[in-house]
Amino acid sequence: MAERRNPPPSRAVDQFSITDSMMIQDFPEGTKIRLRAGGVAEVIGNPRDGAWIFIRYLEHPEDPSKIGSEDLAFCTDVVGLV
Amino acid sequence: MVHISRSRQDRSLRDLVDWEQGHVSREIYVNEDIYQQELEQIFGRAWLFVGHESQVPNPGDFFQSRMGEESVLLVRDRKGELHVFLNTCRHRGMKVCRYDEGNSLLFTCPFHGWSYDTDGRLVGVPNFQTAYRGELDKSAWGLHEVAQMSNFYGSIWATWDPKAPSFEDFLGAFVPSLRRSFEGSDGGDNGLEFFSPVQKWRLPTNWKFPGFSFAGDHAHGAMTHRSTTVAAFGPQGELAGGDRHGVPSRWASTEYEMSIPALGHGGHGRIYEQPGVGPYVETWQTVLQADDYYHEMRDKKAEKYAGQYLHGVSGCVFPNVICGGSRILLWHPHGVGVTESWRFYTVDKGAPKPVKDAQRRYMMRYCGPGGMTESDDMENWNYAYPASLGTVARRLDYNFQNGVGHAYADDRVPGFTLNYRIGEENQRSRLRRWLDFMEAGSWDELSPAKR
Ligand code: FES
Ligand SMILES: [Fe+2]
């Protein structure tokens, strides 16, 4: 059998229900949120579609160079408020 | 390459459309194979009307429009640039936007959540790092954008075909006339705004019934619109003797059918006997301010055009839109026997509100689904189509012979062919252009060539 090149992730962080998500639709700009992958971010824009928010990283567990950078977070990426 | 269907007994398209002699087979209006070929070769190649910049004034504004049968989004991105995108998610095809118009930071697909920025880039893919392992090349999966877009004095046009010539070349001699269709009544370029929302409804007829006859069929007016003319519902309200139009300027002029046969554009045109803008005629007696406003605008226009002849035409840009006269009439194909009709009404950007309201009410009682003239027209289009469908009926040709052989050129309107004002010259021009598009394998075989 061919070796599996890229096994699926099995970290604890992935053991959540795949539909488990925060109700992010009404998060105002400035809200501080905790991310499922670890780390903390601040909401910098909300398209109010309930799916995505624009964020800026305040803490990043794996890559500190990302602190201050902007990204999009999906509703299942968010685990709570800080 | 001409696609020939067995159901048509291998008759060629040229055999079905003899525009020179005015014989046109009913098949081209009712045949499903020909309709599919139109979607590919006409709506997939020609420049099509999409909307107007006044519909999307702010970053993030969007308007859901159509090109042929397909939904497109006219979007002003967050940097202020305009785009036209096919309204379909690149993942599994879901419509990414189902609102007629609005403002958004992102277009998020309701199926699995792929999300696109207002400039079309795919920016959000759920579980990108985990499930996709960060391997998906997002830059290759943005919204599909039209090959070319043109902002023509505020009006937005687009084509799917990268080989199509520029929009101005596609218009040819029609450029000055179409430019004036988007002027304000003071003669200022890009002087209009569009009312919102757009009127949309579906007609049980082939798109060419309205698309090829509108602004090309003066012969129907006296018959079809007899009752509405008598009803005198023009902007002058209750004024005795008023008819369905505003009172025309009394500047001496002659009306013609005017078209560009090789390009298919054209409509009802006028040649004036003197330069400049005719004197203002009181038109809006029942609306306070309106005559004062339009009189002032007329004076400004007269200053701009002093000494210039305003010969020209308002009418059809091939294949399916009519521009001018405070409205845009757009007929989208929606199956061989269904047309989705859209009405946009226009008004001077700077007009006072009572004038805008009066203009909007007049246009709504004039045309559109509840308007008096178009209710008349729909009776014809909607009954002529099923009466042409039958096994026996479709063996017969339509007659487009009115004025055949009497077209001529006139130096005062270079590029145009003229004919008597009641005729079928414009319809023959559109049919000729239709045949060109349907026979050509690509824009390489169509004129004008891309420069
Ligand atoms: S179809 Fe759009 S995200 Fe799947
Ligand atoms: Fe489901």
Side-chain angles (χ1 to χ4, degrees), chain A residues 5-9 11 14 16 45-49 51-54 66 71-72 74 76-77, chain B residues 78 104-109 112-115 117 123-127 129-131 133 135 138:
Chain A
R5 238 183 357 103
N6 198 355
R11 296 173 300 165
D14 295 306
F16 65 101
N46 191 339
R48 297 182 49 80
D49 58 17
W52 292 95
I53 39 177
F54 292 90
K66 285 205 168 153
D71 204 349
L72 275 164
F74 192 56
T76 57
D77 297 336
Chain B
R78 283 189 278 153
S104 189
L105 286 170
L106 290 173
F107 294 102
T108 294
C109 177
H112 311 92
W114 282 26
S115 196
D117 205 331
V123 288
V125 173
N127 312 305
Q129 291 303 342
T130 51
R133 278 58 157 207
E135 291 169 353
K138 288 189 210 158

Side-chain angles (χ1 to χ4, degrees), chain B residues 391-402:
Chain B
T391 313
V392 177
R394 62 204 291 171
R395 290 181 200 146
L396 306 174
D397 285 349
Y398 292 131
N399 181 303
F400 283 90
Q401 291 180 314
N402 190 345

Side-chain angles (χ1 to χ4, degrees), chain B residues 426-445:
Chain B
N426 292 340
Q427 298 180 72
R428 286 190 293 276
S429 294
R430 287 174 217 174
L431 288 161
R432 173 177 163 180
R433 184 64 157 166
W434 181 93
L435 185 60
D436 287 348
F437 267 87
M438 294 290 276
E439 288 193 328
S442 75
W443 262 104
D444 294 336
E445 297 164 37

Side-chain angles (χ1 to χ4, degrees), chain B residues 118-390:
Chain B
T118 50
D119 58 9
R121 281 177 306 125
L122 175 62
V123 288
V125 173
N127 312 305
F128 181 70
Q129 291 303 342
T130 51
Y132 283 93
R133 278 58 157 207
E135 291 169 353
L136 175 72
D137 179 6
K138 288 189 210 158
S139 67
W141 294 93
L143 291 176
H144 184 60
E145 190 158 11
V146 293
Q148 302 182 62
M149 191 198 81
S150 176
N151 182 339
F152 185 81
Y153 300 101
S155 59
I156 308 299
W157 305 74
T159 172
W160 294 116
D161 198 327
K163 288 182 166 176
S166 71
F167 181 58
E168 277 77 2
D169 286 351
F170 177 80
L171 291 176
F174 205 65
V175 166
S177 290
L178 190 67
R179 177 177 175 174
R180 288 212 294 273
S181 293
F182 293 100
E183 277 182 352
S185 55
D186 63 352
D189 271 329
N190 190 0
L192 300 179
E193 67 182 33
F194 279 34
F195 287 113
S196 177
V198 178
Q199 289 184 316
K200 302 175 184 175
W201 74 110
R202 289 184 187 163
L203 317 179
T205 192
N206 181 265
W207 68 276
K208 293 189 291 305
F209 267 107
F212 281 18
S213 62
F214 218 99
D217 185 12
H218 248 356
H220 83 293
M223 183 69 208
T224 294
H225 298 303
R226 198 151 41 106
S227 61
T228 54
T229 297
V230 171
F233 66 96
Q236 60 273 49
E238 299 138 25
L239 186 73
D243 78 3
R244 63 194 171 96
H245 295 292
V247 185
S249 163
R250 304 213 168 89
W251 223 223
S253 64
T254 309
E255 191 179 359
Y256 298 92
E257 286 220 293
M258 267 188 209
S259 61
I260 309 170
L263 301 181
H265 317 309
H268 304 304
R270 248 171 220 288
I271 291 185
Y272 290 90
E273 285 170 25
Q274 55 204 109
V277 177
Y280 187 75
V281 180
E282 297 276 312
T283 303
W284 296 85
Q285 287 86 350
T286 58
V287 183
L288 286 173
Q289 294 187 34
D291 272 323
D292 292 343
Y293 171 77
Y294 281 118
H295 199 153
E296 194 187 325
M297 294 303 111
R298 176 264 161 217
D299 292 347
K300 286 188 182 164
K301 183 172 178 173
E303 254 174 57
K304 172 178 174 180
Y305 285 116
Q308 294 181 48
Y309 285 92
L310 290 183
H311 313 314
V313 61
S314 83
C316 173
V317 177
F318 182 89
N320 67 332
V321 65
I322 310 287
C323 301
S326 308
R327 59 191 173 157
I328 308 288
L329 305 105
L330 183 56
W331 291 285
H332 302 291
H334 196 82
V336 64
V338 180
T339 301
E340 190 165 297
S341 188
W342 287 21
R343 275 316 148 273
F344 305 78
Y345 300 119
T346 69
V347 69
D348 285 0
K349 273 177 193 167
K353 185 160 187 308
V355 174
K356 287 186 177 172
D357 288 344
Q359 187 70 41
R360 179 169 50 80
R361 291 190 189 111
Y362 167 54
M363 292 320 297
M364 284 170 64
R365 68 180 187 264
Y366 186 90
C367 74
M372 292 181 75
T373 52
E374 222 161 332
S375 303
D376 295 338
D377 292 321
M378 285 189 281
E379 290 291 308
N380 298 320
W381 302 331
N382 297 356
Y383 282 81
Y385 178 75
S388 301
L389 274 177

